[in-house]
Amino acid sequence: MALSSYVLFVILGSGLVTWLSRVVPFILLKQFKLPKVVVNFLGFVPICIMTALWMESLFNQHLGQFPSLNVPNALASIPTLISAMISKNLLIIVIVGVLSLAVVNLLV
């Protein structure tokens, strides 16, 4: 399949826009000091994103009905949450989560 110039420019343009959207905030924030309230508020963003991703994986959506519980993910979440409370180490949490989901999928 030949790569047309239009497709090439779309790919390069998309890459440039993605790169700029990630680099420009760092460049701008080096010039300004954010208020403490804003910094404290932004500290909750990773927690909110992780909670949203976790909740999305815990439930299966059904059009026109209530979501149902994804039992394997719920069972794998238990040891993952326990390891998170004990270790507070992201690497350990990820490893425990992956291994527990693998064991649950193997048994179910």
Side-chain angles (χ1 to χ4, degrees):
M1 182 170 134
L3 184 67
S4 69
S5 60
Y6 175 75
V7 173
L8 180 64
F9 286 132
V10 168
I11 292 172
L12 292 175
S14 299
L16 179 66
V17 168
T18 302
W19 182 76
L20 285 174
S21 69
R22 293 170 191 225
V23 171
V24 168
F26 288 111
I27 294 172
L28 291 177
L29 287 178
K30 280 188 174 185
Q31 305 296 326
F32 303 105
K33 183 156 174 89
L34 292 175
K36 188 170 175 73
V37 175
V38 174
V39 173
N40 288 339
F41 174 75
L42 291 176
F44 291 107
V45 171
I47 297 168
C48 295
I49 291 172
M50 288 305 297
T51 303
L53 291 172
W54 179 50
M55 286 295 155
E56 181 186 14
S57 71
L58 279 181
F59 297 102
N60 293 325
Q61 295 179 346
H62 304 290
L63 229 62
Q65 299 176 359
F66 284 118
S68 63
L69 183 65
N70 188 337
V71 177
N73 285 357
L75 290 175
S77 294
I78 296 168
T80 306
L81 287 173
I82 292 170
S83 70
M85 290 186 285
I86 292 172
S87 72
K88 294 180 178 55
N89 183 339
L90 184 61
L91 180 63
I92 292 173
I93 296 166
V94 169
I95 290 172
V96 170
V98 168
L99 290 177
S100 61
L101 187 59
V103 168
V104 167
N105 284 333
L106 186 68
L107 297 176
V108 172

